Amino acid sequence: MPSAAQPRVLYVTDLAYPARGRRYCDEDIFLSSRLREDFDIALCHPLDAAALMDAFDAVVVRNSGPVLHYQAAYDAFARRAAESGVRVYNQLTGKADMAGKQYLLDLTAAGFPVIPTVDRAEDAGRLPAADEYVVKPKLGADSIGLRFVPREELADLSYGPSGSVLVQPRIRFRYEVSFYFVDDAFQYALHAPDPARRWELVPYEPTAEDLAFAQRFVDWNGIEHGIQRVDACRTPEGELLLVELEDLNPYLSLDLVAPQTRDAFVDAFKAALHRLLES
């Protein structure tokens, strides 16, 4: 039985969120049950987090669904956590998906290996030639609002106020691969051999070059306390390009890794939470 002296952790999740190709609830039931070995755990919906968090030593934000479905509530939670000094995991200083898709523009401008991205009509000519282009909201998530347009329609595309949509060339990649980190330490990698089946993942053994690629984005983000997933695609030429840096509530696909890998991840997660509580 958990001791009353154990740290109290509020675990934020939406167990009913209908994620395509994934079962958020199973992953969070598993993770929260394992964290209970070290912490007193209570689960809550993201809409309830702000009202409950003051009674806990830390808040863990996990599979809580796209924030755009409850943006005002999330903004209130983040603001209150910052004002009260509540420890939040992931810490709320992420520069990637936690703050929208602006980072894709910033990384493009800085010359990082990322799918080239623009948000203004006058910059569309800088994009590589492609048969189709991906158009998606800058504040989107989970492929919500994503569409494809042919090159001839780029000139007439509405970018919205202050560049509210992003445009990228549609990369005909060989496969996608995801790298999973706890704090700044790599844990495991998974890849989708079939580009048409994003969530049919199998274990992937990264090369030293692959790990250096992923680590570069984790280092850029500068999160000390948090789980991050670096999503990339392998181009026909063999290059890796960043698709997304998920630093808010990345799904971990823990059911697809070997038991020893899963146990090692849990141990790393527990250790990371202890470090957060000691900070």
Side-chain angles (χ1 to χ4, degrees):
M1 294 292 291
S3 165
Q6 288 184 309
R8 296 162 298 175
V9 172
L10 184 64
Y11 190 105
V12 181
T13 176
D14 183 356
L15 295 174
Y17 180 72
R20 184 175 57 187
R22 294 151 286 167
R23 285 183 57 84
Y24 279 8
C25 56
D26 288 351
E27 182 162 282
D28 280 344
I29 290 168
F30 166 75
L31 269 179
S32 60
S33 69
R34 292 294 303 275
L35 292 179
R36 190 166 284 111
E37 298 164 0
D38 283 43
F39 309 98
D40 288 343
I41 297 284
L43 275 63
C44 82
H45 189 276
L47 292 178
D48 302 321
L52 298 173
M53 63 183 179
D54 288 343
F56 293 83
D57 299 303
V59 178
V60 169
V61 178
R62 280 305 310 130
N63 291 318
S64 51
V67 166
L68 60 89
H69 292 324
Y70 54 95
Q71 190 68 55
Y74 175 79
D75 290 345
F77 158 75
R79 184 168 55 251
R80 183 169 176 181
E83 292 170 351
S84 61
V86 171
R87 294 177 174 88
V88 180
Y89 196 96
N90 291 357
Q91 72 184 79
L92 299 173
T93 59
K95 298 182 291 185
D97 272 8
M98 192 179 294
K101 302 292 186 183
Q102 176 64 37
Y103 72 97
L104 295 173
L105 297 161
D106 297 338
L107 291 172
T108 296
F112 277 71
V114 58
I115 296 176
T117 307
V118 302
D119 68 343
R120 302 186 306 171
E122 54 266 39
D123 294 334
R126 300 179 182 176
L127 295 176
D131 294 333
E132 286 188 306
Y133 291 82
V134 180
V135 180
K136 56 187 175 183
K138 189 179 288 187
L139 295 178
D142 215 12
S143 298
I144 296 171
L146 183 148
R147 59 194 176 95
F148 302 103
V149 301
R151 184 172 182 82
E152 55 267 24
E153 292 185 15
L154 281 185
D156 299 322
L157 185 66
S158 172
Y159 287 79
S162 303
S164 56
V165 301
L166 301 177
V167 180
Q168 301 173 317
R170 187 176 187 181
I171 303 294
R172 303 294 181 178
F173 54 84
R174 287 160 48 191
Y175 58 80
E176 288 190 74
V177 57
S178 294
F179 306 88
Y180 302 78
F181 289 77
V182 172
D183 295 350
D184 62 351
F186 171 74
Q187 301 299 313
Y188 59 92
L190 296 168
H191 85 298
D194 185 345
R197 293 177 168 83
R198 169 66 180 95
W199 295 106
E200 292 186 12
L201 299 163
V202 295
Y204 177 85
E205 190 63 38
T207 66
E209 291 79 8
D210 293 341
L211 291 179
F213 166 90
Q215 189 74 53
R216 184 178 178 187
F217 292 102
V218 170
D219 293 344
W220 169 83
N221 205 14
I223 286 182
E224 293 184 55
H225 306 287
I227 294 170
Q228 297 178 76
R229 192 185 73 220
V230 180
D231 294 337
C233 64
R234 181 80 68 184
T235 69
E237 296 75 27
E239 181 185 12
L240 280 180
L241 294 177
L242 182 76
V243 174
E244 181 177 56
L245 176 54
E246 176 57 79
D247 61 354
L248 174 57
N249 51 8
Y251 184 68
L252 304 172
S253 300
L254 285 171
D255 58 321
L256 301 179
V257 302
Q260 60 269 29
T261 301
R262 191 160 50 244
D263 289 342
F265 178 89
V266 170
D267 290 342
F269 192 8
K270 289 179 180 179
L273 287 180
H274 283 297
R275 288 194 297 272
L276 172 66
L277 290 163
E278 293 165 2
S279 65

